[in-house]
Amino acid sequence: MLEELSVAEARHAENVGREVVLQGWVRTRRDSKAGFSFLELNDGSSFGNIQVVADGKLENYESQIKHLSAGCSVTVAGLLKQSPGKGQATELHASRVTVHGTADVETYPLQKKRHSFEFLRTLAHLRPRTNTFGAVARVRNCVCNSIHQFFQEEGFLYIHTPVITASDCEGAGQMFRVTTLDLANPPKRGPQVDFARDFFDRPTFLTVSGQLEAEIFACSLGKAYTFGPTFRAENSNTARHLAEFWMVEPEMAFCDLDGDMDLAERFLKRIFRDVLEKCPEDMQFFNQRIDKTVIETLRRIIDSRFVRLSYTEAVEIFRASDEKFEFPVDWGADLQAEHERYLTERHFKCPVILFDYPRAIKPFYMYVNDDGRTVRAMDVLVPKVGEIIGGSQREDRLDVLRERMLEQDLDPDDYWWYLDLRRYGTVPHSGFGLGLERTVQFITGMANIRDVIPFPRTPGNAEF
Ligand code: 4AD
Ligand code: MG
């Protein structure tokens, strides 16, 4: 009986002796002088390939098998045997090789062993066939699975918050407009475009965060999380910014900032542990070829306690250091990547949770401390990537929240439903947002965020 196996399964020694069928894409073909060929086959199930031994006596050996090249798709039936080769437990001795699609050696772009990541970005439709992008896809998948498992085990409800929204959660005005109006001839009200005549009878945008809606559910049902794409129209051409990225946002009722930081720390450690355990081969690859420190870094973090430091204490550290910063670090200024990196890479050499930021540089929804000048915000900073989590205890006092909105030029009437949560049964509550891509970047050591999302959206780039 022929059994369909994945390449990952077929590579296990325990399957030696089985008659199996494997399907995938050829990575390389080598011909032996003894009249047979070796095919390296990959189907995405694991980093490693399986070696297929195709005998010259197979009926399509001369016509097809001998011409197979990188990118060709095949189904191979045969017997799994113990491999005499080093670094592989098994190999497949083919009894039949069916060729589904060929890939012209002259034009198939992935002939060369190594291409630059920049070049591969122009081939978003083919780059998943490379070692690196296969490994990134598996690690990303593992992280997503881990996210859901963690929150399910912790008793959070998975909720779905809208992609199209009328409110600017971060109050930063960096939103993509959603409209069906005829841009060449929009309805006007005076000199202004009349968005009251748009599809939703009001101006609408792609969401920058599901937080406000997650708060609704936390303030009704206790613990909730949302996980989905979020959008920011900031013109940031950096290795850490995307215009479309994925964010997971837990929100907890009856929880203060300390509880929020505890959750964030537990959550990150869980994700790192899962990836090391479930993707050892992919992580080995990243550790060898991308960044020689990633495995050791993750292991160390799992066993350590994150440093927790107030913004004010951080400013003291910058002041006392001999480091020449490009931007000055006066109390009240937003921190730049150079400051974050100084803390995590040089001063503490580990993740740092910074909390209690100046109120003027943080959004309206953060709880104002008794000192009146700081808010209960927290950012989790990690070496190299910088901020991967941003969160806070939420302002749960109606009057203070209204005041903060006015302070940031937001109209409280637009947020009447958000204010209602403080009017009826208000509770202390907290939450945060973890950027999925920055997390995958940190885990894998990939330098550019565009290489850890299948189809990056950045200024000027949306082809694939
Ligand atoms: O710090 P941010 O802006 O926080 C929020 O949106 C809150 N509403 C979250 C909450 O409390 N529920 O974003 C959270 C995280 C950042 O720490 C970062 O990891 C990621 O989202 N992020 C980005 N990732 C890629 N590209 C961008 N342009 C990003 N902006 C934020
Ligand atoms: Mg932030």
Side-chain angles (χ1 to χ4, degrees):
M1 249 289 280
L2 287 171
E3 289 174 274
E4 280 189 24
L5 290 192
S6 66
V7 168
E9 292 166 321
R11 289 171 64 222
H12 279 294
E14 67 200 29
N15 287 317
V16 163
R18 287 189 159 161
E19 297 265 6
V20 303
V21 177
L22 304 182
Q23 305 193 289
W25 292 265
V26 172
R27 285 288 175 86
T28 59
R29 191 198 81 241
R30 257 182 327 117
D31 301 326
S32 140
K33 291 205 181 69
F36 58 92
S37 298
F38 295 109
L39 306 172
E40 287 287 326
L41 191 69
N42 191 285
D43 67 353
S45 59
S46 67
F47 184 86
N49 309 319
I50 190 161
Q51 175 163 285
V52 174
V53 185
D55 196 278
K57 294 193 200 79
L58 290 170
E59 51 114 3
N60 59 343
Y61 184 77
E62 290 297 331
S63 61
Q64 288 186 304
I65 296 171
K66 257 189 88 169
H67 307 285
L68 287 172
S69 56
C72 296
S73 49
V74 292
T75 296
V76 185
L79 178 64
L80 275 181
K81 293 190 178 176
Q82 196 179 339
S83 171
K86 255 175 94 185
Q88 57 197 33
T90 65
E91 60 186 25
L92 180 62
H93 288 247
S95 53
R96 181 164 43 82
V97 176
T98 309
V99 179
H100 301 281
T102 56
D104 187 351
V105 197
E106 297 300 316
T107 59
Y108 184 60
L110 301 181
Q111 291 297 341
K112 224 175 61 178
K113 264 257 183 277
R114 289 236 219 156
H115 295 284
S116 75
F117 293 144
E118 282 88 348
F119 174 70
L120 288 172
R121 270 173 230 147
T122 69
L123 297 173
H125 62 307
L126 294 174
R127 68 177 184 170
R129 299 181 183 197
T130 64
N131 279 336
T132 306
F133 290 91
V136 167
R138 282 182 297 272
V139 167
R140 189 179 162 111
N141 173 69
C142 177
V143 172
C144 293
N145 191 28
S146 187
I147 286 170
H148 283 297
Q149 278 188 354
F150 176 82
F151 287 121
Q152 292 298 326
E153 286 164 18
E154 296 256 343
F156 283 68
L157 274 182
Y158 178 33
I159 56 156
H160 302 99
T161 50
V163 167
I164 300 174
T165 174
S167 42
D168 182 357
C169 171
E170 296 304 292
Q174 296 176 322
M175 305 181 86
F176 288 100
R177 184 180 292 283
V178 174
T179 181
T180 53
L181 293 180
D182 177 1
L183 292 183
N185 187 23
K188 292 276 182 69
R189 199 181 160 138
Q192 310 276 11
V193 173
D194 186 7
F195 286 105
R197 288 166 64 188
D198 203 347
F199 190 92
F200 296 105
D201 298 349
R202 63 178 70 237
T204 49
F205 308 88
L206 295 179
T207 188
V208 295
S209 159
Q211 177 196 322
L212 304 188
E213 294 89 352
E215 280 186 56
I216 293 177
F217 277 78
C219 291
S220 311
L221 303 166
K223 290 195 269 189
Y225 71 107
T226 180
F227 185 20
T230 49
F231 307 85
R232 305 225 172 151
E234 50 187 334
N235 201 354
S236 307
N237 260 306
T238 79
R240 306 182 312 147
H241 287 89
L242 291 164
E244 176 178 327
F245 63 96
W246 280 64
M247 186 163 35
V248 52
E249 298 179 90
E251 193 70 34
M252 292 170 286
F254 308 102
C255 177
D256 63 10
L257 191 71
D258 289 325
D260 204 31
M261 294 194 273
D262 291 343
L263 183 82
E265 183 166 343
R266 218 163 52 241
F267 177 45
L268 285 175
K269 288 178 177 174
R270 165 63 183 273
I271 293 173
F272 299 160
R273 201 178 301 124
D274 281 351
V275 172
L276 287 178
E277 190 189 311
K278 294 176 184 165
C279 304
E281 220 184 358
D282 295 316
M283 287 307 298
Q284 211 60 55
F285 165 78
F286 290 117
N287 205 63
Q288 274 164 15
R289 302 292 277 271
I290 304 295
D291 177 341
K292 298 209 177 335
T293 64
V294 283
I295 291 183
E296 173 58 23
T297 302
L298 295 179
R299 285 215 183 104
R300 244 194 5 249
I301 290 177
I302 291 169
D303 296 326
S304 70
R305 219 178 119 63
F306 293 7
V307 168
R308 298 185 188 187
L309 189 74
S310 74
Y311 169 93
T312 304
E313 291 168 307
V315 170
E316 292 303 321
I317 290 177
F318 302 137
R319 286 231 183 89
S321 87
D322 300 328
E323 191 80 9
K324 294 266 171 293
F325 294 110
E326 191 184 332
F327 295 92
V329 274
D330 292 330
W331 198 97
D334 215 349
L335 299 186
Q336 306 292 325
E338 56 173 346
H339 308 125
E340 298 177 349
R341 297 187 65 156
Y342 176 76
L343 288 178
T344 57
E345 292 168 27
R346 318 225 0 218
H347 194 82
F348 292 112
K349 300 190 170 64
C350 70
V352 174
I353 311 186
L354 271 191
F355 60 90
D356 285 356
Y357 283 74
R359 72 189 274 170
I361 58 169
K362 288 292 183 185
F364 66 93
Y365 53 71
M366 297 183 176
Y367 190 95
V368 180
N369 277 313
D370 290 343
D371 65 11
R373 41 179 228 153
T374 59
V375 288
R376 302 240 77 191
M378 65 104 174
D379 278 1
V380 180
L381 314 176
V382 294
K384 291 179 189 163
V385 174
E387 179 197 334
I388 59 170
I389 283 182
S392 64
Q393 183 172 331
R394 317 308 188 187
E395 185 52 76
D396 55 63
R397 297 161 296 187
L398 183 61
D399 50 333
V400 184
L401 184 58
R402 284 181 60 93
E403 186 193 318
R404 286 279 285 156
M405 286 178 165
L406 295 170
E407 189 176 299
Q408 304 206 352
D409 289 328
L410 298 170
D411 184 353
D413 289 346
D414 291 344
Y415 294 84
W416 63 271
W417 48 270
Y418 189 68
L419 293 166
D420 263 6
L421 301 179
R422 281 74 181 164
R423 239 175 231 123
Y424 309 119
T426 191
V427 285
H429 62 289
S430 303
F432 62 77
L434 169 74
L436 175 64
E437 287 75 19
R438 290 200 189 161
T439 307
V440 177
Q441 245 191 307
F442 178 65
I443 291 171
T444 59
M446 293 293 286
N448 196 310
I449 198 165
R450 295 160 202 224
D451 299 327
V452 295
I453 186 166
F455 304 101
R457 297 288 175 261
T458 53
N461 294 306
E463 181 172 6
F464 297 93

